[in-house]
Amino acid sequence: MKLKASLGCLRSAILAGLSAACLAGCEVFNGPLSTFIIRSDFARDSYRLFRYTFIWDCIILLTVLVPMVLALFWLTPRTGPQEQEHVEGTSWLEAAWTITPALILISMAIPTIRLTFQNQPPTPPPGALRVRVIGHQWWWEFQYPEYHLTTPDELHIPAGRTVYFDLESADVIHGFWAPQLGGKRDAIPGHVNHIVLTPEKPGEYYGECTQYCGLSHANMRFRVYVDTPENFAAWVKQQQSAPATAAGNDPKVEAGAAVFAAAPCVTCHTIEGVSKGYIGPNLSHIGSHQTLAGSILSNTPENMAKWIRNPEEVKPGAQMPALGLDPVQIDYLVAYLESLK
Ligand SMILES: [Cu+2]
């Protein structure tokens, strides 16, 4: 009876586990944060290492689980205590179950350590694009020293060219991770970490902060746009030029520029040729971005207005204050910011 109840429990647990795995499966394998969609050399190396260790995990699991289940349900006496044969010890068996796991662990440690060092060389490979990544509570800053430009939350890199990331933080520890492009690495204050990878396929990829960094940690996302070399060159050219705003032609945009100049925005944000703030994100080309506020909102006038009206509501703990602007001022300001292409 007991055995029947135990088997019933085991079967329910297995069914529940399989159902949960099926529900999560689509997201794990096909979602934007899937590590099974491989889009760089680093991601491929990480996947191969995962596959190698996973195979060993399965072998170990079966080696332990099968004898355990047999011992539990088959070899256990079912009626009353019975005299069992006493085994005092077997030297060769004890040596085998000590040495074999040690060898398996060493065989997993060697490729893991090799890959860990391989993808963070102390100096950039020749011809690599260098990108400085700075984590802030709660947004990402991407600097391109080669092109003298800075952009928030949306990273553009060219397909086929090796990229060398310098990872830093302006405040607390953050974790930089774009799963389809490779493994995560921490951005630590006062210390520079590195990642080197070569993106392989143009597309839009999701990134997240993976190190708990405060109230809005979950709202600290970013996008990576892997461009064709031609599109990347065009993007660089656009970013290097002054924003193509309609201020001066469109009265609403002109009024928005005046609101921006009079509000505290100028003390925190840079807009090329207008302001030189450095605490918040560079807004020079914010109108050309797909997302806002740490890539948690799509860039629409409605979302921009919502963000300006009450940042705390969108991103709890956000350092940007509510400016107390009236709806008309917000409307003008949104028109101006959206015009910054
Ligand atoms: Cu975080």
Side-chain angles (χ1 to χ4, degrees), residues 216-266:
S216 267
H217 158 65
N219 295 322
M220 189 173 166
R221 303 174 199 168
F222 61 98
R223 296 285 167 92
V224 184
Y225 296 94
V226 176
D227 300 324
T228 61
E230 299 75 33
N231 287 350
F232 179 73
W235 176 80
V236 168
K237 202 172 169 195
Q238 181 223 10
Q239 296 292 310
Q240 285 174 327
S241 58
T245 174
N249 296 320
D250 183 334
K252 207 169 158 184
V253 172
E254 183 78 359
V259 172
F260 182 84
C265 315
V266 286

Side-chain angles (χ1 to χ4, degrees), residues 138 173-175 209-214 217 220:
W138 291 276
I173 299 176
H174 302 281
C209 176
T210 51
Q211 192 67 262
Y212 180 71
C213 57
H217 158 65
M220 189 173 166

